[in-house]
Amino acid sequence: SQKPILLQGHERSITQIKYNREGDLLFSVAKDTVANVWYSVNGERLGTYNGHTGAVWCVDCDDTKNVLTGSADNSCRLWDKQLALLNTNSAVRTCGFDFSGNIIMFSTDKQMGYQCFLNFFDLRDPQQMDNNPYLSVPCSECKITSAVWGPLGEFVIAGHENGEINQFSAKQSGEILKKAKEHTRQINDIQSSVDLTMVITASKDNTSKLFDSNSLDHIKTFRTDRPVNSAAISPIMDHVVMGGGQEAMDVTTTSTRIGKFEAFFHAAYEEEFGRVKGHFGPINCVAFHPDGKYSSGGEDGYVRIHYFDPHYFDFELEA
Ligand SMILES: *[C@@H]1O[C@H](CO)[C@@H](O)[C@H](O)[C@H]1NC(C)=O
């Protein structure tokens, strides 16, 4: 099988990776201050976004090559077609374009006396780009640690520090439409299926769970023996991938169970069927290419674009 492509463009641990809808581009952000964009086919770097002065926690892109990043420097930046700098009172933890690309959301950390907010901006209104969100929802109870748009731009599904997930309406008052409390510890990541009808969570409680996006009904649970930092749903197979592990400084023993993992699960059977090797240290983020290949970003500062053995794609038939 082909060797993975190793992307070396960051000096600190990777915090998020994301493919554009076509899959030709892969964006990466890290605890250093830059965002990178790569050609996914060969791992060549197309460009670097310079401007942030702190760790970059999140990245998203839309169909027209607009890119959104959020940083610990208390700002969210919109790059390319229209440049905008949205200043905040605390770190920007999560960000995303809705499916139309017209609305963006980002959440800010509960930090330095400020509470967590979920902010919404309509990019078609220049006044809002002057730092006037049309909706700013305070989340006084519990900080948002991960968030994605639901289908049709109606709501955002947010994961919280206490393990809850909430649907926040993107309309009117931003009320909570649905809640789910299936995790016992912090949600580290939420990603949606290609058709946006399902989301998968990754939690510090050592599990990932599938939920119906609209009802927030819990569908499946995937268990490991380590904290899960990121999880994604295959666009072409009934599979999910999970990545995680603990940093050495977080652990008090030298048990062999501690450390990184990158594992594939059958979604239907909730069973692990494969492990991936490569990174040194924990896996911080995983993402699927639209064709079913996948990539991971590590605490080691590298992004790896993986290849599968050709028989991987026949697996469903053989099983
Ligand atoms: C998760 O895994 C870690 C490391 O193996 C373990 O110490 C911890 O107790 C587990 N947590 C839960 C909630 O199972």
Side-chain angles (χ1 to χ4, degrees):
S1 67
Q2 237 179 311
K3 278 196 174 149
I5 302 178
L6 196 60
L7 307 184
Q8 310 184 46
H10 290 284
E11 283 165 10
R12 303 279 311 277
S13 43
I14 310 298
T15 50
Q16 192 167 29
I17 57 174
K18 197 154 285 181
Y19 282 100
N20 64 345
R21 225 170 280 167
E22 279 181 30
D24 56 326
L25 303 179
L26 176 63
F27 295 85
S28 62
V29 290
K31 284 187 184 167
D32 52 33
T33 58
V34 299
N36 283 313
V37 55
W38 314 83
Y39 287 114
S40 65
V41 68
N42 58 10
E44 196 181 299
R45 182 155 41 174
L46 172 61
T48 297
Y49 300 84
N50 289 296
H52 280 300
T53 57
V56 187
W57 294 128
C58 54
V59 63
D60 198 20
C61 55
D62 73 355
D63 270 352
T64 61
K65 294 203 164 66
N66 275 325
V67 178
L68 191 64
T69 53
S71 166
D73 69 5
N74 299 355
S75 76
C76 190
R77 281 173 185 261
L78 184 63
W79 312 79
D80 285 10
K81 204 171 72 188
Q82 38 183 337
L83 276 168
L85 172 62
L86 300 163
N87 287 304
T88 56
N89 290 319
S90 57
V92 176
R93 182 62 52 171
T94 67
C95 63
F97 290 96
D98 80 334
F99 195 79
S100 72
N102 291 324
I103 313 283
I104 60 167
M105 64 84 182
F106 66 78
S107 74
T108 57
D109 276 359
K110 182 176 177 170
Q111 197 179 44
M112 296 181 299
Y114 294 100
Q115 61 180 337
C116 165
F117 281 94
L118 181 57
N119 294 317
F120 294 88
F121 296 80
D122 189 328
L123 301 180
R124 294 162 295 189
D125 176 0
Q127 276 205 322
Q128 292 187 25
M129 300 329 291
D130 205 17
N131 242 342
N132 297 307
Y134 75 83
L135 179 60
S136 185
V137 188
C139 308
S140 46
E141 279 172 33
C142 203
K143 174 180 132 173
I144 292 174
T145 46
S146 186
V148 288
W149 278 94
L152 306 173
E154 299 281 331
F155 53 79
V156 163
I157 302 170
H160 296 257
E161 210 170 17
N162 64 354
E164 265 181 33
I165 65 176
N166 287 312
Q167 263 180 12
F168 288 94
S169 170
K171 310 269 151 81
Q172 284 128 29
S173 60
E175 72 271 24
I176 293 176
L177 303 170
K178 297 248 163 59
K179 277 177 173 288
K181 185 80 211 295
E182 298 286 339
H183 284 290
T184 55
R185 298 198 58 195
Q186 175 169 309
I187 312 284
N188 287 325
D189 190 26
I190 297 191
Q191 296 193 34
S192 38
S193 58
V194 159
D195 63 5
L196 307 183
T197 59
M198 284 190 297
V199 292
I200 190 164
T201 51
S203 169
K204 266 191 184 172
D205 70 8
N206 303 356
T207 69
S208 279
K209 289 173 188 279
L210 272 182
F211 294 89
D212 181 285
S213 298
N214 282 302
S215 65
L216 285 194
D217 286 344
H218 170 221
I219 305 168
K220 298 281 178 192
T221 297
F222 310 99
R223 293 174 201 286
T224 75
D225 53 9
R226 289 164 217 188
V228 192
N229 293 333
S230 185
I233 305 168
S234 170
I236 58 157
M237 308 282 264
D238 193 24
H239 295 164
V240 303
V241 66
M242 291 154 65
Q246 279 168 305
E247 285 187 70
M249 63 185 190
D250 288 346
V251 299
T252 49
T253 67
T254 51
S255 153
T256 52
R257 303 169 71 199
I258 287 154
K260 57 171 182 175
F261 79 94
E262 245 173 313
F264 274 77
F265 281 72
H266 281 291
Y269 314 128
E270 302 171 311
E271 261 170 28
E272 182 179 324
F273 69 88
R275 290 239 168 185
V276 186
K277 290 177 193 161
H279 287 285
F280 298 96
I283 312 309
N284 291 342
C285 37
V286 293
F288 274 107
H289 185 280
D291 75 3
K293 289 201 289 276
Y294 99 109
S295 295
S296 53
E299 188 65 23
D300 61 8
Y302 295 115
V303 176
R304 301 175 80 91
I305 300 178
H306 300 270
Y307 287 94
F308 291 120
D309 291 327
H311 74 247
Y312 168 81
F313 294 100
D314 305 329
F315 198 94
E316 214 73 339
L317 299 171
E318 290 168 9

